[in-house]
Amino acid sequence: MLYLCATPIGNLDDMTFRVLDTLRNVDLIAAEDTRNSMKLLNHFQIKTPMTSYHEYNRVEKAHYLIGQMQEGKDVALITDAGTPAISDPGETLVALCQEAGISVTSLPGPAACITALTLSGLSTRRFCFEGFLPADKRERKDVLKELEQESRTIILYEAPHHLCRLLQDLKEALGNRRVTVCRELTKKFETVMPMTLGDALAYFSENDPRGEFVLVLEGKGLAGKREEKRKEWLEIPLEEHMRYYEGQGINRKEAMKLVAKDRGVGKREIYQALLSDAALE
């Protein structure tokens, strides 16, 4: 049998008892990066033999692993972090195992995409996972064109040195949508930043991106409704907008924050506009 074993994406305490037991008892562990996985296995004192299985040997090595399982051996598949076969060469091994009649089971555990989605504050009812966008310009343009019409919440992965390019491409293709930028999930310096694509691009243009990133982006439907509501708010005078919130017992400082959010601008812009209106009076 093939066991798909989810491993921690940062915090080693997220390792499940079932995965530990499986890794100790299978005949062979196939790992995306044996050097990286060796640290994990040593931490948990697991001595099971290990072999490499990665993007560049995913077909040839899959046939070898299937041969081992056909001889009666159990194999566990682990990736560098998270759940195997998600944005990972493990999907090829699973497909070939099914074709060969090899039983496959998945041991649930950490997954960066789901962790980020639950932290995002965006809709979780319907979502799509895109992983890393293609590096090829034409392929990337085609995917961005598809995402422009995507109504579900979108989950993307990105490396730090490519983050600003991704944010720029998304803003140009999709507009200034809401995005939650998640970094170093489950680790000591985990950060979750709800903002707009424009704000994210401005921030990371001035602050070097560090760590691994997951972006959770609102879909077209929600973005469209939010834009329609923003236009409605812009049609009423600023002071009337302020009175709407202050009439609910909200103090002026908090009301300015809410008005700024409604109108899609910064709080400072609202403050300056109110000062100008007061000076004119």
Side-chain angles (χ1 to χ4, degrees), residues 23-280:
L23 293 178
R24 290 189 177 111
N25 288 288
V26 294
D27 299 290
L28 182 65
I29 296 172
E32 185 176 9
D33 185 332
T34 54
R35 291 170 299 179
N36 181 65
S37 295
M38 183 58 71
K39 299 174 186 176
L40 178 75
L41 299 185
N42 286 341
H43 178 81
F44 290 106
Q45 299 180 339
I46 296 171
K47 305 299 182 181
T48 306
M50 185 166 46
T51 188
S52 65
Y53 180 76
H54 48 71
E55 180 64 29
Y56 303 103
N57 70 355
R58 59 191 176 95
V59 176
E60 177 186 356
K61 196 59 171 286
H63 290 297
Y64 165 78
L65 294 172
I66 288 171
Q68 294 293 299
M69 286 182 277
Q70 287 173 332
E71 291 177 6
K73 294 182 179 180
D74 289 326
V75 175
L77 177 67
I78 59 176
T79 184
D80 279 350
T83 301
I86 296 180
S87 193
D88 176 81
E91 64 178 336
T92 299
L93 178 57
V94 172
L96 292 175
C97 279
Q98 291 180 347
E99 289 179 13
I102 300 292
S103 297
V104 180
T105 190
S106 183
L107 283 60
C113 54
I114 298 301
T115 304
L117 177 65
T118 58
L119 289 171
S120 69
L122 299 174
S123 174
T124 61
R125 190 176 70 84
R126 299 175 67 244
F127 60 90
C128 68
F129 174 66
E130 279 294 330
F132 292 92
L133 290 190
D136 180 82
K137 289 183 178 181
R138 180 172 293 181
E139 291 180 21
R140 191 180 184 90
K141 185 178 179 180
D142 289 342
V143 172
L144 286 168
K145 189 173 181 179
E146 291 178 9
L147 293 181
E148 182 184 1
Q149 303 301 320
E150 179 56 68
S151 62
R152 296 169 294 179
T153 300
I154 302 162
I155 306 171
L156 298 159
Y157 287 167
E158 192 52 276
H161 52 290
H162 290 145
L163 181 66
C164 287
R165 180 198 171 194
L166 174 63
L167 291 169
Q168 182 66 51
D169 288 347
L170 290 171
K171 187 173 183 295
E172 290 177 0
L174 281 63
N176 195 27
R177 295 190 190 180
R178 286 194 299 165
V179 64
T180 299
V181 180
C182 301
R183 184 184 74 91
E184 295 291 89
L185 289 169
T186 77
K187 299 178 184 177
K188 182 178 180 179
F189 298 105
E190 173 183 284
T191 54
V192 179
M193 304 169 66
M195 47 178 52
T196 65
L197 285 170
D199 289 340
L201 183 59
Y203 178 84
F204 288 108
S205 295
E206 296 181 0
N207 300 273
D208 287 339
R210 295 182 179 182
E212 297 302 316
F213 287 85
V214 184
L215 274 61
V216 186
L217 185 67
E218 73 177 343
K220 181 182 179 182
L222 291 175
K225 291 177 182 178
R226 189 164 54 86
E227 181 62 20
E228 288 177 11
K229 189 64 177 176
R230 186 183 74 87
K231 290 178 179 178
E232 290 177 11
W233 283 121
L234 289 173
E235 290 176 358
I236 69 172
L238 182 57
E239 274 294 352
E240 183 180 335
H241 197 164
M242 287 291 294
R243 286 195 295 271
Y244 170 80
Y245 287 114
E246 290 177 317
Q248 301 175 40
I250 297 172
N251 66 49
R252 195 161 181 82
K253 184 177 180 181
E254 289 302 314
M256 280 193 287
K257 289 182 181 179
L258 293 170
V259 168
K261 183 178 179 181
D262 289 343
R263 292 175 173 250
V265 298
K267 187 182 72 172
R268 184 174 181 80
E269 186 173 329
I270 297 298
Y271 177 73
Q272 295 292 345
L274 290 171
L275 281 180
S276 299
D277 290 347
L280 289 174

